[in-house]
Amino acid sequence: MKRLVIATVLIGSVIGFANQTQSSDNLVKAIHKVESGGKTGRVVGDGGKALGPLQIHYSSWKDATSFDKTIGGTYRDCEKLEYSIKIFNAYMNRYAKNKSNEAKARIWNGGPKGDSSEATLIYWKRVKANRSEEHTSELQSLA
């Protein structure tokens, strides 16, 4: 009986981690769609103030690379999706650790306190509409 309880807890933890990872992947994909229409490469927005598929501003890049010095690179590297995701993850680890996907999206859009700004609610609605939940529901059915 004790082994069954331990196995159940372990399986639940693995599924919870998988759901969280899948949820984060879905969030990044949705933000990518909202920010650049899913484009990659040299995407410039916000009147030349944002760069790359996730539309990263220089100040956000500087903030993320100061927080996680292992990222390295230059601002121009934000043109690459993989690098942009590293910047996104560092920014989230700094300002949105253990927060909901809504809070994360709103912080990405509005800065460190963006989750408390009414101005970011519309952005969240756009991100939420672009989220893919197909794999998340599959994992939840395993629980």
Side-chain angles (χ1 to χ4, degrees):
M1 183 65 162
K2 198 174 191 179
R3 287 182 183 161
L4 179 61
V5 170
I6 292 171
T8 303
V9 169
L10 287 173
I11 290 169
S13 297
V14 169
I15 290 171
F17 176 76
N19 281 338
Q20 184 178 0
T21 302
Q22 183 65 43
S23 181
S24 295
D25 290 346
N26 287 337
L27 179 63
V28 171
K29 287 176 186 175
I31 288 173
H32 182 196
K33 287 178 194 172
V34 170
E35 291 289 356
S36 65
K39 295 177 188 168
T40 57
R42 184 157 174 78
V43 183
V44 179
D46 283 351
K49 296 179 186 174
L51 181 64
L54 299 183
Q55 291 295 280
I56 299 170
H57 286 248
Y58 181 82
S59 59
S60 297
W61 170 79
K62 193 76 175 155
D63 195 349
T65 56
S66 293
F67 178 73
D68 183 350
K69 294 181 184 352
T70 66
I71 295 172
T74 66
Y75 180 57
R76 185 89 189 247
D77 291 328
C78 292
E79 293 178 1
K80 302 172 200 151
L81 180 59
E82 282 184 44
Y83 185 84
S84 291
I85 292 170
K86 288 179 184 180
I87 298 298
F88 173 84
N89 287 333
Y91 200 82
M92 292 300 103
N93 284 332
R94 183 169 195 170
Y95 297 111
K97 196 165 188 85
N98 300 319
K99 292 197 175 191
S100 69
N101 281 338
E102 176 180 352
K104 289 176 181 179
R106 293 175 67 194
I107 288 168
W108 184 248
N109 179 245
K113 297 182 190 238
D115 57 333
S116 61
S117 170
E118 284 189 42
T120 61
L121 285 170
I122 293 170
Y123 180 81
W124 166 242
K125 288 179 184 177
R126 290 176 59 210
V127 170
K128 189 176 176 184
N130 280 282
R131 286 184 51 202
S132 169
E133 299 292 347
E134 62 191 63
H135 297 294
T136 304
S137 61
E138 288 175 18
L139 287 171
Q140 287 173 341
S141 69
L142 295 173

